Amino acid sequence: MNRLGRRRFLTAIGAGATALAGCSALPSNGDDEPELDDDAIARAIREREAPSVPATNPLSVPSSAIEDHRTAARETLERVPPELSVPNGAVTEKLREQRARVADALDSSAEGAPVERLATWRDRRGDAVNVRQAYEAASGDADRGAYRDRYDEVRAERAAVGADLEYRAPEPVAATVGFATIESLLDTARGRLDPRSPFPEEPAAAVFDVGDRWEAVETAGIETADARRLRDAFVDATDDTPWRSHLVATSHHLGHSLQMTRDRVEEYVDAEASVLDADAATEPPTRHLFRQASDGVHWRTERAARARDRHDHATTVIELGRGLVAAETLDRIVAEIESGDYRTELTEETIQSAHASAVAAVEDAVAATPQPLAVPLATPAIQVVSGLRRRLDASRSRVTPERLQPRLDYAVRYARVVPTATAFVADRLAVEA
């Protein structure tokens, strides 16, 4: 089957889609590399608003949750004197700096939707634990036994919460999106509890390692507690319909769909741009665009498989949906490159245009119906744009034009597939009357 015949979205399972529009070819400059003004590029991107992403997560954050984290973090930090002093002068100075940094953070507000603000305060609470435990280790008060007991306690708590998810919600989309957030919390907690470096044999000689180990365990405990709190608040506010078996069945259907969609692009997954039948395959922007699209399919497939192995049924549905978007995006990108329609010119104007297109495409994607499902499926494109802005704030030298433009171009193409994929996944989640 030729490329044009394979560009229909999910043809193997009967879902159609419109072709990618708005891709105008621009001439390549060949070996004449333009002088790009990094300051002008960064300034133009900062002057444009970031994509507006609606807060559509069905989980309700209890009003007391954030205040509980704030209070606990402050009480923890108060156990470390502002003008602390320990036997090691260099350690004293570093601990003072860390305490001051955490204290400043605890005096500031958190931005974003309620679930995002809750995450910010979890992190701040973990930072406070780190400073306190490092200080106690430096003062000779480290307690290895207490650490071991807390580790075992948190591990048991996380397992208990994870084993008690019935995915109760008013309807399947809400169950998928809400419980995917809860599963993410539990999975992150699991990762923090994985065996890494052991508790130091001589805590006073490795005070910051002690702080890191305690932070990991306590933050896992905080994440577990928030997962339980969010689950309980969600279930209490809805009816008692359990959707576990429905999500399992849906994930099997979507897994089959992803495999058939991926079969159309299998030769391009984990491949180099040299497999493309295109003169532009040697151009850096083309290589980077293709590589991102190719890696995206592999990565999403792997993430879905790992979620299924963990029995994280809501996350599996979300990752399979993202995999469908990624596979179709790769298919369209290959067709665009091979037809000669992908631009390879790099100028300040083309990069600014790519950013503007990415913002617009993301906003269109998150407006798709149903929105609570569209937002998580669009998250990979959202992260490209938001991550770019963060990197520019940190250091412009970390974002090179030949990588920057294709990353934005990929976000555009990924986002444009999201509405069709959202409708497809929602249809598979729907309950037949």
Side-chain angles (χ1 to χ4, degrees):
M1 184 180 293
N2 61 35
R3 295 298 310 162
L4 294 178
R6 296 188 298 197
R7 290 188 65 193
R8 298 189 306 274
F9 182 56
L10 304 175
T11 53
I13 46 178
T18 57
L20 185 68
C23 303
S24 58
L26 294 175
S28 171
N29 284 346
D31 295 331
D32 298 328
E33 294 293 336
E35 289 294 331
L36 299 179
D37 187 338
D38 292 346
D39 288 333
I41 293 171
R43 185 167 56 253
I45 290 176
R46 289 197 187 93
E47 287 173 354
R48 183 179 176 88
E49 292 292 329
S52 177
V53 180
T56 59
N57 195 305
L59 294 182
S60 175
V61 176
S63 58
S64 61
I66 291 176
E67 187 56 37
D68 287 349
H69 287 330
R70 181 187 289 111
T71 299
R74 287 174 174 168
E75 290 176 350
T76 298
L77 196 64
E78 285 172 0
R79 299 185 63 173
V80 182
E83 297 302 322
L84 64 90
S85 180
V86 297
N88 186 312
V91 171
T92 294
E93 183 63 26
K94 185 172 181 179
L95 283 173
R96 286 179 179 177
E97 292 175 358
Q98 289 186 349
R99 190 197 185 284
R101 174 181 55 79
V102 175
D104 287 343
L106 297 185
D107 286 336
S108 63
S109 60
E111 298 180 352
V115 171
E116 295 169 343
R117 295 200 300 273
L118 189 66
T120 297
W121 280 103
R122 279 197 303 270
D123 291 341
R124 291 174 179 176
R125 189 172 168 185
D127 289 340
V129 167
N130 194 319
V131 174
R132 171 193 163 189
Q133 293 295 339
Y135 170 65
E136 292 192 358
S139 302
D141 296 327
D143 190 335
R144 181 181 289 102
Y147 169 81
R148 188 71 245 179
D149 289 345
R150 181 58 177 154
Y151 177 93
D152 291 341
E153 180 183 24
V154 171
R155 187 175 176 182
E157 290 174 352
R158 197 218 63 79
V161 175
D164 194 28
L165 298 183
E166 295 183 344
Y167 303 87
R168 294 183 178 274
E171 46 83 23
V173 169
T176 299
V177 178
F179 279 92
T181 303
I182 293 168
E183 288 173 344
S184 177
L185 279 170
L186 294 174
D187 183 51
T188 303
R190 179 193 291 108
R192 296 187 197 279
L193 297 172
D194 283 344
R196 288 181 289 182
S197 56
F199 196 85
E201 290 294 329
E202 298 184 13
V207 300
F208 300 109
D209 288 342
V210 171
D212 289 343
R213 297 310 302 138
W214 268 106
E215 178 185 356
V217 170
E218 288 295 350
T219 302
I222 296 165
E223 288 162 342
T224 298
D226 273 354
R228 179 188 287 111
R229 178 166 17 199
L230 292 172
R231 179 203 63 190
D232 291 347
F234 188 42
V235 171
D236 289 346
T238 64
D239 66 22
D240 291 331
T241 304
W243 296 104
R244 176 191 289 270
S245 60
H246 184 72
L247 295 190
V248 171
T250 300
S251 70
H252 286 312
H253 290 309
L254 290 175
H256 179 65
S257 300
L258 175 56
Q259 185 57 57
M260 297 186 74
T261 306
R262 177 170 168 155
D263 284 347
R264 294 191 278 118
V265 294
E266 191 61 42
E267 65 187 297
Y268 301 104
V269 178
D270 285 340
E272 298 297 329
S274 58
V275 303
L276 295 171
D277 181 19
D279 293 336
T282 59
E283 297 286 346
T286 303
R287 292 201 314 270
H288 292 308
L289 176 67
F290 174 78
R291 186 76 253 173
Q292 180 151 359
S294 175
D295 288 347
V297 179
H298 173 77
W299 177 235
R300 290 299 160 193
T301 305
E302 288 295 311
R303 286 180 66 92
R306 289 200 295 268
R308 177 177 285 128
D309 290 343
R310 297 192 305 267
H311 304 291
D312 287 352
H313 306 302
T315 301
T316 302
V317 170
I318 295 293
E319 289 297 346
L320 288 169
R322 291 170 177 167
L324 288 169
V325 179
E328 171 62 13
T329 302
L330 174 59
D331 196 19
R332 296 183 181 193
I333 284 173
V334 169
E336 182 183 355
I337 292 172
E338 291 187 337
S339 66
D341 290 335
Y342 180 62
R343 64 184 178 190
T344 57
E345 183 184 36
L346 286 174
T347 68
E348 295 163 26
E349 290 74 20
T350 61
I351 294 173
Q352 292 167 18
S353 175
H355 179 260
S357 295
V359 171
V362 165
E363 292 183 338
D364 287 344
V366 299
T369 303
Q371 272 193 310
L373 184 59
V375 171
L377 292 191
T379 293
I382 297 170
Q383 290 174 336
V384 168
V385 181
S386 60
L388 161 65
R389 297 173 75 94
R390 285 195 299 271
R391 284 193 296 275
L392 284 174
D393 288 339
S395 172
R396 292 169 201 159
S397 63
R398 295 174 62 187
V399 184
T400 57
E402 66 268 15
R403 290 181 181 271
L404 169 58
Q405 182 166 301
R407 282 184 64 80
L408 290 167
D409 288 340
Y410 177 77
V412 171
R413 286 143 181 80
Y414 181 100
R416 286 177 175 168
V417 178
V418 167
T420 303
T422 299
F424 179 81
V425 175
D427 182 64
R428 295 304 180 272
L429 281 169
V431 180
E432 294 183 3

